[in-house]
Amino acid sequence: MKTTVRLQREAFDPAAEAAALTQGRTDIGALVSFTGICRGAESGEPIAALTLEHYPGMAEAEISRHVEEATSRWPLMGVTVIHRHGRIEPGENIVLVITASSHREAAFAAAEFLMDFLKTRAPFWKQVEAPNGTTWIEAKGADDAAAARWQTPPGQKAAE
Amino acid sequence: MKTTVRLQREAFDPAAEAAALTQGRTDIGALVSFTGICRGAESGEPIAALTLEHYPGMAEAEISRHVEEATSRWPLMGVTVIHRHGRIEPGENIVLVITASSHREAAFAAAEFLMDFLKTRAPFWKQVEAPNGTTWIEAKGADDAAAARWQTPPGQKAAE
Amino acid sequence: MSTLKIVYFAWVRERVGKAEEEVVPPDSVKTVADLIGWLGERGEEYAHAFEHPKSIRAAIDKSHVQPGTSIAGAREIAFFPPMTGG
Amino acid sequence: MSTLKIVYFAWVRERVGKAEEEVVPPDSVKTVADLIGWLGERGEEYAHAFEHPKSIRAAIDKSHVQPGTSIAGAREIAFFPPMTGG
């Protein structure tokens, strides 16, 4: 099991990360990659950039915890999660989740699980830089609902 | 809406295909990529290669039909499906599905939908080349069950 | 009935021993299932290929069809095992 | 009670006007909710930051906690809006 969790200001290269996960292996049959990209508009209004604030230490710990949970739930052969912080312009990547497994079901489920938890539990906050000032993006109920899909397995502590 | 459907003998480059889908756009917020890879063992036995046979004409038509269905079900901004045929060795890519949308839910759902249908409806057959001869891979009931998740929307012809 | 092109794939092709052929079935052959039954009586290799009709999938003019589908007007009928692509 | 490090993020940080501070709450402050109530009375900027306690999330020593969680033994308590990463 190869896992990578990184928080960084710099851009990342999804292809290089995928290659690092599969390199030299012939047991991986399915690779799912999710890339979250900064859009040029929020609520119909053009934006200049997003600034991502995060809670150092907690962000990494929270992501690592969910990566561990994913690897205990599904038969994964590799997981990579990279989340950027700082200023990000439209068209730039924000977040990357890659999951590798022998079959597609586990790879898809784990990638969705990780994204749902990144959206609702990882301590990051997006601020929008628009022509008329800066505003904080509001959390969406739909994201909480998506995260709630992943019922806590019996015997584990329920999500707080 | 940018859609690409290709059947080919040659290897493909998932990163180049993803770049082609997102290039010059700032309305895409979520990019999901699925890569199916030839594993080095089948049912616990090492294999030398897979050979993928397909039904020319029908394979492309069937994939295009499902790409169209995906774009009518989810608000997608781009879809790429590439399926190889011929001889493929362990570690090589077999199939690529990329979906782009403004939000992750649509991108994930469409990618899973397309993979479930590629597994069960696209006319491809995998033959295993092993030390002791060649055998055809048997279809899995689990794949049919996965495809059955995607109920036909009302008013449309049920899947045959 | 006029001439019909039949194409075979994967182990159906291997068992029949050819990738395609032209046949002229009798008028009594009206459906895909009828055609499977008629082909199955053309010799040992056909009997082997079609011994388990439930394992055979069919397409008319490159669209999936069911055993009960009429073959009237068909130009090309394909027989193959359940698909294993992706 | 001993000294407690409080850290703020996003609009909670902006409203309070600082990213972190050290406080010594009275012994009557036992839970996260108590602490929010106590901080909210420290001035207009705090009142503004904590005016809707339901919109405030908290972490003790970098783990999510609920309003009813005891702050006994905490070294660092963080307050922030619902997360919007990913």
Side-chain angles (χ1 to χ4, degrees), chain A residues 13 15 22 25-41 90-91 101-105 107-109 111-112 115-116 119-120 140 142-143 146-147, chain B residues 13 15 22 25-41 90-91 101-105 107-109 111-112 115-116 119-120 140 142-143 146-147:
Chain A
D13 176 358
T22 56
R25 301 188 67 145
T26 58
D27 55 348
I28 293 172
L31 192 78
V32 169
S33 164
F34 176 89
T35 311
I37 304 166
C38 178
R39 280 174 287 134
S101 184
S102 53
H103 295 288
R104 75 188 184 289
E105 295 83 357
F108 270 123
E112 289 196 63
M115 280 309 304
D116 287 345
K119 289 269 177 190
T120 54
K140 288 189 295 177
D143 287 328
Chain B
D13 176 357
T22 56
R25 299 188 69 148
T26 57
D27 55 347
I28 293 172
L31 192 77
V32 170
S33 165
F34 176 90
T35 311
I37 305 166
C38 178
R39 279 174 288 134
S101 184
S102 52
H103 296 287
R104 74 187 186 290
E105 295 83 356
F108 270 123
E112 289 196 62
M115 280 309 305
D116 286 345
K119 289 269 176 189
T120 54
K140 288 189 296 178
D143 288 328

Side-chain angles (χ1 to χ4, degrees), chain C residues 65-85:
Chain C
V65 293
Q66 298 285 31
T69 304
S70 164
I71 63 169
R75 280 162 300 172
E76 179 174 298
I77 303 193
F79 293 107
F80 42 77
M83 286 74 81
T84 56

Side-chain angles (χ1 to χ4, degrees), chain A residues 10 16 19 21 30 38 57 65 71 78 107 125 142 148:
Chain A
E10 304 71 36
L21 213 51
C38 178
R65 228 179 338 257
T71 61
W125 301 273

Side-chain angles (χ1 to χ4, degrees), chain B residues 85-156:
Chain B
H85 52 84
R87 191 170 184 278
I88 296 175
E89 296 191 354
E92 287 186 61
N93 294 334
I94 301 171
V95 61
L96 177 70
V97 169
I98 308 179
T99 53
S101 184
S102 52
H103 296 287
R104 74 187 186 290
E105 295 83 356
F108 270 123
E112 289 196 62
F113 168 88
L114 287 167
M115 280 309 305
D116 286 345
F117 277 87
L118 283 172
K119 289 269 176 189
T120 54
R121 303 281 295 171
F124 288 86
W125 301 273
K126 290 196 185 103
Q127 191 178 43
V128 171
E129 188 182 311
N132 56 344
T134 63
T135 51
W136 293 93
I137 288 189
E138 275 189 57
K140 288 189 296 178
D143 288 328
D144 290 327
R149 286 185 295 167
W150 310 99
Q151 290 185 339
T152 305
Q156 276 203 269

Side-chain angles (χ1 to χ4, degrees), chain A residues 67-155:
Chain A
V67 167
E68 271 171 44
E69 188 171 341
T71 61
S72 76
R73 282 181 176 226
W74 292 283
L76 302 177
M77 289 156 175
V79 179
T80 295
V81 177
I82 301 175
H83 203 307
R84 290 178 66 194
H85 53 85
R87 191 169 183 279
I88 296 175
E89 295 191 354
E92 285 185 61
N93 295 334
I94 300 171
V95 61
L96 177 70
V97 168
I98 308 179
T99 53
S101 184
S102 53
H103 295 288
R104 75 188 184 289
E105 295 83 357
F108 270 123
E112 289 196 63
F113 168 88
L114 287 168
M115 280 309 304
D116 287 345
F117 277 88
L118 283 172
K119 289 269 177 190
T120 54
R121 301 282 295 173
F124 288 88
W125 301 273
K126 290 195 186 103
Q127 189 177 44
V128 171
E129 188 182 311
N132 55 343
T134 62
T135 51
W136 293 94
I137 288 188
E138 275 188 56
K140 288 189 295 177
D143 287 328
D144 290 325
R149 287 186 294 167
W150 309 100
Q151 289 184 342
T152 304

Side-chain angles (χ1 to χ4, degrees), chain D residues 3-86:
Chain D
T3 302
L4 200 56
K5 182 179 177 189
I6 314 279
V7 294
Y8 305 106
F9 293 98
W11 56 252
V12 179
R13 173 181 53 69
E14 288 185 337
R15 290 182 183 184
V16 169
K18 56 186 91 169
E20 61 177 82
E21 63 183 320
E22 305 223 315
V23 299
V24 184
D27 287 347
S28 61
V29 168
K30 301 201 180 305
T31 65
V32 170
D34 292 344
L35 184 59
I36 289 176
W38 180 75
L39 287 167
E41 287 170 9
R42 298 185 85 209
E44 266 182 34
E45 65 276 32
Y46 290 90
H48 185 212
F50 293 107
E51 66 186 348
H52 300 297
K54 288 203 168 174
S55 300
I56 303 292
R57 299 288 176 269
I60 292 182
D61 297 335
K62 297 176 177 165
S63 286
H64 291 291
V65 294
Q66 298 285 31
T69 304
S70 164
I71 63 168
R75 280 162 301 175
E76 179 175 297
I77 304 193
F79 293 108
F80 41 77
M83 287 73 81
T84 56

